Amino acid sequence: MKKLVAFFLIISILISASSCSASEPKRYQAEFLTLFDTVTRIVGYYESVPDTSYYKTKDGKESFSLLAQSVHDKLEEYHQLYDIYNDYDGINNIKTINDNAGIKPVKVDSRIIDLLEFSKEMYESSDGVFNIAMGAVLMLWHDARVAGVEDPGNASLPSMTDLEEAAKHCDIKNLIIDREASTVYLSDLKMSLDVGAVAKGYATEQVARELEVEGASSLLISVGGNVRAIGGKYSKSSSFDEPWNIGIQNPDKSSEKTDLFSVNILGMSVVTSGIYERYFTVNGKQYHHIIDTKTLMPSEYYASLTVICDDSGLADALTTALFNIPIEKAKEKAKSFDIEACWVLHDGTTVFTDGFEDLIKK
Amino acid sequence: MKFVKKTDFIVISAILLIGLGLLWYYSSVTSDNVSAEIYFDGRLVKTVALNLSEEQSFSITEVPEVVFTVYPDKTVAFTLSDCPDKVCVNTGKIGNPGQIAACVPNRVYVRIVGADQSSPDLVIKNNHGK
């Protein structure tokens, strides 16, 4: 009988040792839907660390939850500052700036000044293709899309007369930034800022940098389709130097293949943008949400575009900028920014920058 | 005295067999089964196994206006929603571990879970908000 008990003990120890392996980091994932009107996802690997003072282990899940909460709280600050739809008590945000167009300069947080100055630079370097002062035009499309999705039978496009009238109030020179006084003023009464094409990526980048300063060395943050990696992920052979693997959605939703391919990144950003999800239908034709600054209509060049570079804010802005120019020019532009990109044409053809394919997981 | 008696040997073998059987059982249930977890307000409210032989639709009590459908090809999709953008419905079917589909206005999302080691860490799509 004694022997039997001994064997039970040995077997149970063997089983628990093999199934728990307490020191090996485990993958944790968190999601929340409360920020930037999209899905935020965080992935990290944590191990349970023995806490010798109490002779018990500090749970890996607990460590991850704390970090996820910190990511959420940091992002939330940016979300409130960059919001163009909602007011928050005691905060002057981009909506406040829009509400005071033609009225008065608004004193704002330096993080708003940073975003707007970055966006102005992007306007210059994209030859005006990327323009956050397009609010008046984008609002017409936004309203038409919401109405058209709500009541598909009566869906209609915004009229070209209205679009052209709105386009007269999209001059970024009327966005007046005073860094000294920390104020922003829109000198055109009918003008408004829409930072939807840059705010998420820019905020993600800033939060990632804050986390890096605080000592984070391995984490994946995705806000909408804006992915920013901190370091690499855990694997047995590499410790924390294994590249993260990011799947890119196939814009052709009728295809069996849901992912186009996946890319490997170490501490970089991947942003993808496409026409296949946010759209409305008028007379059988789909009208998506990426508006060409020249035609004032949904951009017709590509089905999707993926940009990879270090800075998530730049990657985000470029998914809009490089979406709105024809392929040869777009490739040149990508080169001048020293980034990698992959365009998917409407017939499913993919066009890559020179270094992109090296990042694709074989 | 013999070191191991015949009865001991039988008992040990029996225990080992049971142990191996259990291990095999656990590994088979955890690796093959892909399921969809449905979250509302960040809370897991329902788990559905994606192994149905027939198409089946359902809602959760928290948001009865949203309808999910599970398909025999081991996928799940938002099929109806009262939200203003219908991005959730446009997302279409998902079924690979790690994929998610969300209805942001209704604060509900579906996440595919399973032990597929070959899946990417994240799958991304369209980065533009409203």
Side-chain angles (χ1 to χ4, degrees):
Chain A
M1 199 59 209
K2 241 187 200 166
K3 267 191 212 162
L4 209 78
V5 172
F7 268 105
F8 263 121
L9 272 176
I10 288 166
I11 285 176
S12 60
I13 287 165
L14 277 177
I15 286 176
S16 62
S18 67
S19 63
C20 289
S21 49
S23 62
E24 176 125 353
K26 270 199 246 159
R27 182 184 202 277
Y28 294 99
Q29 187 172 332
E31 286 96 9
F32 28 85
L33 307 188
T34 46
L35 305 175
F36 294 102
D37 301 303
T38 188
V39 186
T40 300
R41 307 169 74 184
I42 303 166
V43 181
Y45 286 77
Y46 268 83
E47 57 194 322
S48 296
V49 186
D51 184 340
T52 44
S53 56
Y54 295 97
Y55 208 71
K56 62 177 188 185
T57 55
K58 192 178 165 201
D59 192 15
K61 187 175 181 177
E62 199 182 302
S63 312
F64 176 74
S65 301
L66 283 171
L67 188 70
Q69 186 63 46
S70 152
V71 175
H72 171 275
D73 296 348
K74 288 177 197 301
L75 280 170
E76 190 178 37
E77 290 181 29
Y78 285 95
H79 163 78
Q80 295 185 349
L81 290 172
Y82 298 165
D83 199 332
I84 61 171
Y85 296 102
N86 302 290
D87 295 308
Y88 301 93
D89 279 346
I91 295 177
N92 282 342
N93 63 10
I94 297 194
K95 180 175 184 289
T96 324
I97 297 171
N98 286 340
D99 291 346
N100 285 288
I103 302 171
K104 62 172 198 284
V106 178
K107 195 164 175 64
V108 293
D109 190 286
S110 64
R111 286 171 286 185
I112 291 182
I113 306 271
D114 294 341
L115 172 74
L116 298 183
E117 283 188 340
F118 173 74
S119 302
K120 263 196 150 171
E121 281 166 29
M122 287 305 298
Y123 176 88
E124 297 299 333
S125 55
S126 72
D127 311 315
V129 175
F130 175 86
N131 183 5
I132 58 161
M134 289 276 289
V137 168
L138 296 181
M139 192 55 79
L140 291 172
W141 278 103
H142 175 259
D143 293 348
R145 192 169 63 243
V146 170
V149 170
E150 180 74 50
D151 182 7
N154 291 312
S156 63
L157 301 179
S159 82
M160 197 33 90
T161 325
D162 289 351
L163 287 170
E164 280 169 352
E165 176 55 34
K168 291 177 190 161
H169 305 282
C170 298
D171 189 344
I172 203 161
K173 289 189 188 71
N174 294 324
L175 159 60
I176 295 153
I177 302 170
D178 185 340
R179 187 173 268 282
E180 291 282 288
S182 203
T183 61
V184 178
Y185 177 52
L186 305 181
S187 61
D188 177 344
L189 178 72
K190 290 185 178 173
M191 172 181 179
S192 71
L193 301 178
D194 186 327
V195 291
V198 63
K200 287 195 293 290
Y202 191 84
T204 308
E205 180 64 31
Q206 306 316 310
V207 168
R209 288 182 190 175
E210 286 174 33
L211 292 164
E212 283 166 343
V213 169
E214 289 167 17
S217 58
S218 167
L219 197 71
L220 195 60
I221 308 171
S222 165
V223 181
N226 293 262
V227 170
R228 169 64 150 82
I230 296 177
K233 70 169 174 178
Y234 174 82
S235 79
K236 249 187 193 143
S237 54
S238 77
S239 191
F240 279 95
D241 286 329
E242 182 85 5
W244 301 94
N245 185 230
I246 313 297
I248 308 295
Q249 164 112 29
N250 188 347
D252 178 6
K253 295 237 296 287
S254 60
S255 167
E256 283 283 293
K257 228 178 117 201
T258 55
D259 297 357
L260 216 46
F261 45 70
S262 63
V263 292
N264 285 329
I265 54 161
L266 270 170
M268 291 179 95
S269 294
V270 188
V271 181
T272 195
S273 196
I275 62 172
Y276 41 81
E277 205 168 66
R278 200 174 282 277
Y279 59 80
F280 70 118
T281 308
V282 180
N283 296 329
K285 185 172 166 20
Q286 283 181 7
Y287 293 87
H288 63 82
H289 68 286
I290 306 170
I291 305 302
D292 188 324
T293 47
K294 289 197 183 67
T295 63
L296 308 178
M297 297 292 284
S299 171
E300 300 212 321
Y301 298 109
Y302 314 107
S304 94
L305 164 62
T306 303
V307 171
I308 303 179
C309 63
D310 287 331
D311 183 326
S312 175
L314 178 65
D316 193 5
L318 285 178
T319 55
T320 298
L322 302 179
F323 213 98
N324 285 319
I325 41 181
I327 191 68
E328 286 312 319
K329 264 180 87 182
K331 277 181 86 171
E332 261 172 51
K333 255 299 170 233
K335 208 167 201 171
S336 74
F337 278 104
D338 197 22
I339 57 111
E340 300 300 340
C342 165
W343 296 261
V344 181
L345 312 184
H346 293 290
D347 64 2
T349 318
T350 44
V351 179
F352 298 104
T353 50
D354 294 338
F356 195 100
E357 282 169 288
D358 295 339
L359 299 168
I360 294 179
K361 190 184 177 190
K362 305 290 178 308
Chain B
M1 202 179 88
K2 273 198 282 181
F3 183 65
V4 185
K5 270 190 262 176
K6 199 179 170 191
T7 47
D8 282 357
F9 187 73
I10 292 169
V11 168
I12 293 161
S13 307
I15 292 169
L16 278 175
L17 276 176
I18 292 168
L20 284 174
L22 276 173
L23 271 180
W24 174 80
Y25 172 76
Y26 277 117
S27 61
S28 70
V29 289
T30 49
S31 66
D32 289 355
N33 278 12
V34 172
S35 53
E37 293 180 341
I38 297 174
Y39 290 80
F40 175 75
D41 252 353
R43 225 160 15 90
L44 177 64
V45 294
K46 193 178 174 74
T47 305
V48 198
L50 297 185
N51 58 359
L52 303 184
S53 52
E54 269 176 49
E55 194 175 308
Q56 198 180 315
S57 295
F58 60 92
S59 287
I60 55 170
T61 49
E62 289 81 358
V63 253
E65 299 81 7
V66 173
V67 177
F68 309 88
T69 304
V70 175
Y71 298 92
D73 62 355
K74 299 191 170 149
T75 60
V76 61
F78 280 86
T79 38
L80 265 182
S81 169
D82 62 341
C83 63
D85 56 25
K86 306 285 186 275
V87 163
C88 54
V89 176
N90 292 343
T91 298
K93 295 177 177 182
I94 58 167
N96 297 330
Q99 275 188 312
I100 80 168
C103 183
V104 175
N106 278 315
R107 298 175 295 170
V108 58
Y109 69 92
V110 182
R111 171 159 107 186
I112 308 297
V113 290
D116 185 353
Q117 294 302 321
S118 65
S119 325
D121 295 300
L122 283 180
V123 175
I124 57 168
K125 48 192 190 180
N126 204 359
N127 70 325
H128 289 263
K130 57 183 173 185

